[in-house]
Amino acid sequence: MQLIATVAVRLLRLALVLACVAVVSFGLMMLSPIDPIDAYLGPQMAQVSPEQRDLIAERWGFDEPPVVQFGHWLGQLIQGDLGVSHVYNQPVSEVIGQRFQRSIVLLGSAWLLTTLVGFALGVIAGAKEASLLDRIISTYAYLTASTPAFWLAMLLLLLFSVYLGWTPVCCAGPTGTLSQDVSMATRLHHLILPVATLALVGIANITLHTRTRMLALMNSNIATHAFAQGASRWDIAWRHGIRHASLPALTLSLASLGELFGGSVLVEQVFAYPGLGQATVAAGLRSDVPLLLGIALFTALFVSVGNLLADTLYALIDPRMQKEAP
Protein backbone atom coordinates (compact mmCIF):
# COMPACT_ATOMS: atom_id res chain seq x y z
CA MET A 1 0.00 0.00 0.00
CA GLN A 2 2.83 2.39 0.84
CA LEU A 3 4.41 1.77 -2.56
CA ILE A 4 1.10 2.46 -4.34
CA ALA A 5 0.61 5.67 -2.33
CA THR A 6 4.16 6.82 -3.13
CA VAL A 7 3.69 6.15 -6.86
CA ALA A 8 0.29 7.92 -6.82
CA VAL A 9 1.77 11.01 -5.12
CA ARG A 10 4.64 11.15 -7.62
CA LEU A 11 2.28 10.81 -10.59
CA LEU A 12 0.05 13.57 -9.17
CA ARG A 13 3.05 15.88 -8.74
CA LEU A 14 4.18 15.09 -12.27
CA ALA A 15 0.72 15.87 -13.66
CA LEU A 16 0.68 19.22 -11.81
CA VAL A 17 4.14 20.08 -13.11
CA LEU A 18 3.15 19.25 -16.70
CA ALA A 19 -0.07 21.28 -16.35
CA CYS A 20 1.86 24.31 -15.05
CA VAL A 21 4.42 23.98 -17.85
CA ALA A 22 1.66 23.85 -20.47
CA VAL A 23 -0.21 26.88 -19.07
CA VAL A 24 2.92 29.03 -18.64
CA SER A 25 4.30 28.09 -22.08
CA PHE A 26 1.00 28.85 -23.79
CA GLY A 27 0.66 32.16 -21.92
CA LEU A 28 4.15 33.25 -22.96
CA MET A 29 3.41 32.34 -26.58
CA MET A 30 0.22 34.42 -26.50
CA LEU A 31 2.17 37.39 -25.08
CA SER A 32 4.75 37.11 -27.85
CA PRO A 33 4.74 40.10 -30.25
CA ILE A 34 5.28 37.74 -33.21
CA ASP A 35 2.29 37.61 -35.55
CA PRO A 36 1.58 33.89 -36.17
CA ILE A 37 0.41 34.50 -39.77
CA ASP A 38 3.52 36.52 -40.67
CA ALA A 39 5.70 33.89 -39.00
CA TYR A 40 3.91 31.14 -40.94
CA LEU A 41 4.33 32.93 -44.28
CA GLY A 42 7.91 34.05 -43.72
CA PRO A 43 9.44 36.02 -46.62
CA GLN A 44 6.25 35.53 -48.68
CA MET A 45 4.09 37.59 -46.33
CA ALA A 46 4.03 40.54 -48.77
CA GLN A 47 2.77 38.35 -51.63
CA VAL A 48 -0.36 37.12 -49.83
CA SER A 49 -3.72 38.90 -50.05
CA PRO A 50 -5.88 39.68 -46.97
CA GLU A 51 -8.34 36.97 -48.07
CA GLN A 52 -5.56 34.40 -48.14
CA ARG A 53 -4.39 35.53 -44.70
CA ASP A 54 -7.92 34.96 -43.41
CA LEU A 55 -7.94 31.46 -44.87
CA ILE A 56 -4.60 30.68 -43.25
CA ALA A 57 -5.83 32.00 -39.90
CA GLU A 58 -8.98 29.88 -40.18
CA ARG A 59 -7.00 26.77 -41.25
CA TRP A 60 -4.63 26.87 -38.24
CA GLY A 61 -7.02 28.49 -35.74
CA PHE A 62 -5.02 31.71 -35.39
CA ASP A 63 -8.24 33.79 -35.39
CA GLU A 64 -9.72 32.04 -32.34
CA PRO A 65 -9.48 33.48 -28.81
CA PRO A 66 -6.53 32.15 -26.74
CA VAL A 67 -8.83 30.26 -24.37
CA VAL A 68 -10.47 28.45 -27.28
CA GLN A 69 -7.07 27.63 -28.80
CA PHE A 70 -5.80 26.22 -25.51
CA GLY A 71 -9.01 24.26 -24.96
CA HIS A 72 -8.77 22.79 -28.45
CA TRP A 73 -5.13 21.78 -27.87
CA LEU A 74 -5.98 20.34 -24.44
CA GLY A 75 -8.83 18.30 -25.93
CA GLN A 76 -6.46 16.84 -28.51
CA LEU A 77 -3.87 16.10 -25.81
CA ILE A 78 -6.38 14.14 -23.72
CA GLN A 79 -7.03 11.98 -26.81
CA GLY A 80 -3.28 11.38 -27.18
CA ASP A 81 -2.80 13.82 -30.06
CA LEU A 82 -0.24 16.64 -29.69
CA GLY A 83 -1.53 18.44 -32.78
CA VAL A 84 0.10 19.35 -36.07
CA SER A 85 3.18 21.55 -36.50
CA HIS A 86 2.62 24.22 -39.13
CA VAL A 87 6.37 24.82 -39.39
CA TYR A 88 7.16 21.23 -40.44
CA ASN A 89 3.61 20.35 -41.63
CA GLN A 90 3.82 17.10 -39.67
CA PRO A 91 2.22 15.73 -36.50
CA VAL A 92 4.06 17.11 -33.46
CA SER A 93 4.73 13.60 -32.12
CA GLU A 94 6.58 12.69 -35.35
CA VAL A 95 8.66 15.88 -35.27
CA ILE A 96 9.65 15.32 -31.63
CA GLY A 97 10.43 11.65 -32.28
CA GLN A 98 12.63 12.35 -35.31
CA ARG A 99 14.48 15.23 -33.66
CA PHE A 100 14.92 13.48 -30.33
CA GLN A 101 16.63 10.53 -32.01
CA ARG A 102 19.43 12.90 -32.96
CA SER A 103 19.42 14.92 -29.75
CA ILE A 104 19.51 11.90 -27.43
CA VAL A 105 22.87 10.85 -28.90
CA LEU A 106 24.22 14.36 -28.34
CA LEU A 107 22.73 14.74 -24.84
CA GLY A 108 23.60 11.20 -23.74
CA SER A 109 27.22 11.44 -24.85
CA ALA A 110 27.66 14.87 -23.25
CA TRP A 111 25.95 13.76 -20.02
CA LEU A 112 28.07 10.63 -19.66
CA LEU A 113 31.30 12.50 -20.39
CA THR A 114 30.34 15.31 -18.01
CA THR A 115 29.54 12.93 -15.14
CA LEU A 116 32.61 10.69 -15.42
CA VAL A 117 35.22 13.38 -16.12
CA GLY A 118 33.71 15.91 -13.69
CA PHE A 119 33.61 13.38 -10.86
CA ALA A 120 37.16 12.16 -11.52
CA LEU A 121 38.56 15.70 -11.62
CA GLY A 122 36.71 16.61 -8.40
CA VAL A 123 38.10 13.58 -6.56
CA ILE A 124 41.64 14.30 -7.76
CA ALA A 125 41.43 18.00 -6.84
CA GLY A 126 39.99 17.23 -3.39
CA ALA A 127 42.58 14.53 -2.68
CA LYS A 128 45.46 16.82 -3.67
CA GLU A 129 44.27 20.00 -1.96
CA ALA A 130 46.43 23.12 -2.51
CA SER A 131 48.71 21.25 -4.97
CA LEU A 132 49.54 22.42 -8.48
CA LEU A 133 47.10 19.83 -9.87
CA ASP A 134 44.33 21.16 -7.61
CA ARG A 135 44.97 24.75 -8.73
CA ILE A 136 44.93 23.76 -12.43
CA ILE A 137 41.66 21.81 -12.10
CA SER A 138 40.01 24.52 -9.97
CA THR A 139 41.05 27.28 -12.38
CA TYR A 140 39.64 25.31 -15.32
CA ALA A 141 36.40 24.66 -13.44
CA TYR A 142 35.89 28.29 -12.43
CA LEU A 143 36.65 29.53 -15.95
CA THR A 144 34.30 27.12 -17.74
CA ALA A 145 31.55 27.51 -15.11
CA SER A 146 31.31 31.18 -16.07
CA THR A 147 31.61 30.59 -19.82
CA PRO A 148 28.44 30.78 -21.96
CA ALA A 149 27.87 27.63 -24.01
CA PHE A 150 27.22 29.50 -27.26
CA TRP A 151 30.47 31.52 -26.89
CA LEU A 152 32.53 28.38 -26.27
CA ALA A 153 30.79 26.68 -29.23
CA MET A 154 31.74 29.52 -31.57
CA LEU A 155 35.32 29.51 -30.24
CA LEU A 156 35.72 25.77 -30.83
CA LEU A 157 34.08 26.11 -34.25
CA LEU A 158 36.52 28.81 -35.33
CA LEU A 159 39.56 26.95 -33.97
CA PHE A 160 38.93 23.33 -35.00
CA SER A 161 36.65 23.71 -38.04
CA VAL A 162 37.67 27.00 -39.69
CA TYR A 163 41.39 27.37 -38.88
CA LEU A 164 42.53 23.77 -38.38
CA GLY A 165 39.90 22.01 -40.51
CA TRP A 166 39.82 18.96 -38.23
CA THR A 167 36.04 18.85 -37.69
CA PRO A 168 32.96 19.61 -39.84
CA VAL A 169 31.54 23.11 -39.72
CA CYS A 170 27.91 22.07 -39.25
CA CYS A 171 25.06 19.59 -39.43
CA ALA A 172 24.69 15.91 -38.56
CA GLY A 173 26.24 14.76 -41.84
CA PRO A 174 27.77 16.06 -45.08
CA THR A 175 25.62 18.65 -46.83
CA GLY A 176 23.59 17.19 -49.70
CA THR A 177 23.86 13.60 -48.43
CA LEU A 178 20.78 11.62 -47.49
CA SER A 179 20.56 10.66 -43.82
CA GLN A 180 20.50 6.92 -44.58
CA ASP A 181 23.71 7.25 -46.60
CA VAL A 182 25.72 8.79 -43.73
CA SER A 183 28.02 6.27 -42.02
CA MET A 184 28.33 5.91 -38.25
CA ALA A 185 31.91 7.23 -38.32
CA THR A 186 30.76 10.36 -40.16
CA ARG A 187 27.93 10.91 -37.69
CA LEU A 188 30.35 10.64 -34.76
CA HIS A 189 32.76 13.03 -36.51
CA HIS A 190 29.98 15.64 -36.72
CA LEU A 191 29.14 15.10 -33.05
CA ILE A 192 32.63 15.77 -31.68
CA LEU A 193 32.40 19.55 -31.29
CA PRO A 194 28.76 19.74 -30.04
CA VAL A 195 29.44 17.04 -27.44
CA ALA A 196 32.75 18.63 -26.42
CA THR A 197 31.07 22.02 -25.95
CA LEU A 198 28.31 20.70 -23.71
CA ALA A 199 30.72 18.50 -21.74
CA LEU A 200 33.33 21.24 -21.16
CA VAL A 201 30.67 23.53 -19.71
CA GLY A 202 28.92 20.85 -17.64
CA ILE A 203 32.06 19.32 -16.13
CA ALA A 204 32.79 22.43 -14.06
CA ASN A 205 29.80 22.20 -11.69
CA ILE A 206 30.27 18.51 -10.90
CA THR A 207 34.02 19.03 -10.40
CA LEU A 208 33.55 21.88 -7.93
CA HIS A 209 30.83 20.11 -5.92
CA THR A 210 32.80 16.85 -5.78
CA ARG A 211 35.94 18.74 -4.71
CA THR A 212 34.00 20.40 -1.88
CA ARG A 213 32.74 17.02 -0.62
CA MET A 214 36.24 15.58 -0.80
CA LEU A 215 37.70 18.50 1.18
CA ALA A 216 35.03 18.01 3.86
CA LEU A 217 35.98 14.34 4.10
CA MET A 218 39.71 15.10 4.31
CA ASN A 219 39.06 17.42 7.28
CA SER A 220 36.74 14.97 9.07
CA ASN A 221 37.46 12.65 12.01
CA ILE A 222 37.40 9.69 9.63
CA ALA A 223 40.37 11.09 7.71
CA THR A 224 42.21 12.07 10.91
CA HIS A 225 41.87 8.51 12.22
CA ALA A 226 43.04 7.11 8.88
CA PHE A 227 46.04 9.47 8.79
CA ALA A 228 47.00 8.30 12.30
CA GLN A 229 47.05 4.72 10.99
CA GLY A 230 49.42 5.70 8.18
CA ALA A 231 46.96 6.01 5.30
CA SER A 232 47.79 8.44 2.49
CA ARG A 233 45.37 10.99 1.00
CA TRP A 234 44.94 8.74 -2.06
CA ASP A 235 44.06 5.78 0.21
CA ILE A 236 41.37 7.83 1.96
CA ALA A 237 40.07 9.16 -1.36
CA TRP A 238 39.83 5.63 -2.81
CA ARG A 239 38.37 3.86 0.26
CA HIS A 240 36.02 6.55 1.58
CA GLY A 241 35.99 9.56 -0.74
CA ILE A 242 34.47 8.06 -3.88
CA ARG A 243 31.41 6.73 -2.09
CA HIS A 244 31.14 9.87 0.06
CA ALA A 245 31.16 12.18 -2.98
CA SER A 246 29.25 10.01 -5.45
CA LEU A 247 25.77 10.80 -4.06
CA PRO A 248 25.89 14.61 -4.55
CA ALA A 249 27.66 14.15 -7.87
CA LEU A 250 24.93 11.80 -9.08
CA THR A 251 22.24 14.15 -7.81
CA LEU A 252 23.78 17.12 -9.55
CA SER A 253 24.37 15.17 -12.73
CA LEU A 254 20.77 13.96 -13.05
CA ALA A 255 19.37 17.32 -11.94
CA SER A 256 21.41 19.02 -14.67
CA LEU A 257 19.48 17.30 -17.47
CA GLY A 258 17.30 20.38 -17.88
CA GLU A 259 20.34 22.64 -17.94
CA LEU A 260 21.99 20.30 -20.44
CA PHE A 261 18.95 20.47 -22.71
CA GLY A 262 18.95 24.28 -22.44
CA GLY A 263 22.60 24.32 -23.46
CA SER A 264 21.89 21.99 -26.38
CA VAL A 265 19.36 24.49 -27.77
CA LEU A 266 22.16 27.06 -28.17
CA VAL A 267 24.78 24.55 -29.27
CA GLU A 268 22.52 23.03 -31.94
CA GLN A 269 21.90 26.51 -33.30
CA VAL A 270 25.62 27.29 -33.54
CA PHE A 271 26.46 23.96 -35.23
CA ALA A 272 23.19 23.81 -37.25
CA TYR A 273 22.62 20.37 -35.72
CA PRO A 274 19.09 19.18 -36.62
CA GLY A 275 17.99 18.12 -33.14
CA LEU A 276 15.22 18.96 -30.74
CA GLY A 277 16.89 22.22 -29.67
CA GLN A 278 16.86 23.58 -33.21
CA ALA A 279 13.18 22.60 -33.54
CA THR A 280 12.48 24.50 -30.29
CA VAL A 281 14.00 27.69 -31.68
CA ALA A 282 12.10 27.30 -34.96
CA ALA A 283 8.83 26.78 -33.07
CA GLY A 284 9.43 29.86 -30.92
CA LEU A 285 10.44 32.17 -33.75
CA ARG A 286 7.59 31.03 -36.03
CA SER A 287 4.95 30.92 -33.31
CA ASP A 288 4.25 27.20 -33.72
CA VAL A 289 2.20 26.77 -30.54
CA PRO A 290 1.44 23.00 -30.79
CA LEU A 291 5.08 22.13 -31.46
CA LEU A 292 6.43 24.37 -28.69
CA LEU A 293 3.91 23.04 -26.16
CA GLY A 294 4.72 19.48 -27.18
CA ILE A 295 8.47 20.07 -26.76
CA ALA A 296 7.91 21.84 -23.41
CA LEU A 297 5.89 18.90 -22.07
CA PHE A 298 8.37 16.38 -23.42
CA THR A 299 11.31 18.25 -21.87
CA ALA A 300 9.56 18.56 -18.50
CA LEU A 301 8.81 14.84 -18.57
CA PHE A 302 12.41 14.08 -19.53
CA VAL A 303 13.80 16.11 -16.60
CA SER A 304 11.24 14.67 -14.16
CA VAL A 305 12.26 11.14 -15.11
CA GLY A 306 15.89 12.13 -14.45
CA ASN A 307 15.00 13.38 -10.97
CA LEU A 308 12.97 10.25 -10.27
CA LEU A 309 15.93 8.13 -11.35
CA ALA A 310 18.17 10.07 -8.95
CA ASP A 311 15.77 9.41 -6.05
CA THR A 312 15.69 5.71 -6.91
CA LEU A 313 19.47 5.40 -7.07
CA TYR A 314 19.86 7.09 -3.67
CA ALA A 315 18.78 3.94 -1.88
CA LEU A 316 21.23 1.81 -3.85
CA ILE A 317 24.20 4.06 -3.12
CA ASP A 318 23.34 4.90 0.49
CA PRO A 319 20.99 2.33 2.14
CA ARG A 320 20.64 4.61 5.21
CA MET A 321 18.36 6.91 3.20
CA GLN A 322 16.04 4.00 2.45
CA LYS A 323 15.77 3.21 6.16
CA GLU A 324 15.10 6.85 7.03
CA ALA A 325 12.27 7.08 4.48
CA PRO A 326 8.79 7.19 6.10
Side-chain angles (χ1 to χ4, degrees):
M1 287 298 292
Q2 185 178 359
L3 178 62
I4 296 175
T6 303
V7 172
V9 170
R10 287 185 179 277
L11 289 177
L12 181 60
R13 288 178 181 172
L14 178 60
L16 290 174
V17 169
L18 294 179
C20 291
V21 168
V23 171
V24 171
S25 301
F26 183 80
L28 291 176
M29 288 296 290
M30 290 298 105
L31 294 175
S32 170
I34 300 175
D35 185 83
I37 302 176
D38 290 343
Y40 175 78
L41 293 171
Q44 298 175 341
M45 68 175 77
Q47 304 172 7
V48 176
S49 66
E51 291 77 15
Q52 291 174 311
R53 293 176 66 91
D54 293 339
L55 289 175
I56 292 172
E58 184 181 359
R59 164 68 179 83
W60 295 105
F62 297 149
D63 54 348
E64 295 176 342
V67 176
V68 176
Q69 292 186 39
F70 187 75
H72 179 66
W73 175 82
L74 190 61
Q76 288 182 318
L77 180 65
I78 292 173
Q79 298 174 8
D81 183 7
L82 291 174
V84 178
S85 164
H86 60 72
V87 171
Y88 297 97
N89 199 23
Q90 279 183 282
V92 170
S93 56
E94 289 185 9
V95 176
I96 292 177
Q98 292 169 358
R99 295 294 180 132
F100 186 66
Q101 288 178 8
R102 296 191 180 99
S103 288
I104 189 61
V105 179
L106 170 62
L107 292 172
S109 303
W111 181 82
L112 190 62
L113 198 61
T114 297
T115 304
L116 295 179
V117 177
F119 183 71
L121 290 179
V123 170
I124 293 171
K128 302 294 290 183
E129 182 184 6
S131 66
L132 177 62
L133 194 57
D134 178 31
R135 287 195 290 271
I136 293 174
I137 293 175
S138 298
T139 302
Y140 156 75
Y142 284 120
L143 282 177
T144 52
S146 56
T147 302
F150 72 91
W151 184 83
L152 183 62
M154 289 190 290
L155 191 65
L156 294 178
L157 189 66
L158 284 174
L159 179 60
F160 292 103
S161 298
V162 178
Y163 292 119
L164 297 177
W166 292 352
T167 55
V169 176
C170 72
C171 312
T175 307
T177 305
L178 295 176
S179 178
Q180 57 268 26
D181 296 334
V182 180
S183 65
M184 181 59 70
T186 304
R187 292 178 191 274
L188 294 176
H189 192 204
H190 281 75
L191 269 174
I192 290 176
L193 281 189
V195 169
T197 304
L198 288 176
L200 286 174
V201 174
I203 283 172
N205 288 334
I206 296 180
T207 298
L208 293 174
H209 279 77
T210 304
R211 178 181 179 275
T212 301
R213 295 287 293 187
M214 288 298 298
L215 293 182
L217 174 69
M218 291 297 175
N219 294 318
S220 67
N221 292 333
I222 297 175
T224 303
H225 183 70
F227 284 137
Q229 292 181 328
S232 66
R233 296 180 71 87
W234 284 119
D235 291 334
I236 298 172
W238 176 252
R239 293 177 182 175
H240 306 284
I242 291 179
R243 188 166 185 172
H244 177 74
S246 61
L247 191 60
L250 180 66
T251 306
L252 188 65
S253 178
L254 290 171
S256 67
L257 286 175
E259 185 179 348
L260 193 65
F261 180 81
S264 73
V265 173
L266 301 174
V267 170
E268 287 183 8
Q269 281 298 110
V270 173
F271 292 103
Y273 190 82
L276 202 57
Q278 198 179 49
T280 306
V281 175
L285 293 178
R286 300 188 63 180
S287 197
D288 192 342
V289 175
L291 179 57
L292 195 64
L293 290 180
I295 293 175
L297 290 182
F298 181 79
T299 308
L301 186 62
F302 183 69
V303 175
S304 298
V305 170
N307 293 334
L308 179 63
L309 191 60
D311 291 342
T312 305
L313 291 177
Y314 275 0
L316 297 177
I317 296 175
D318 190 351
R320 292 174 300 176
M321 301 193 69
Q322 191 176 21
K323 294 178 181 177
E324 291 172 0

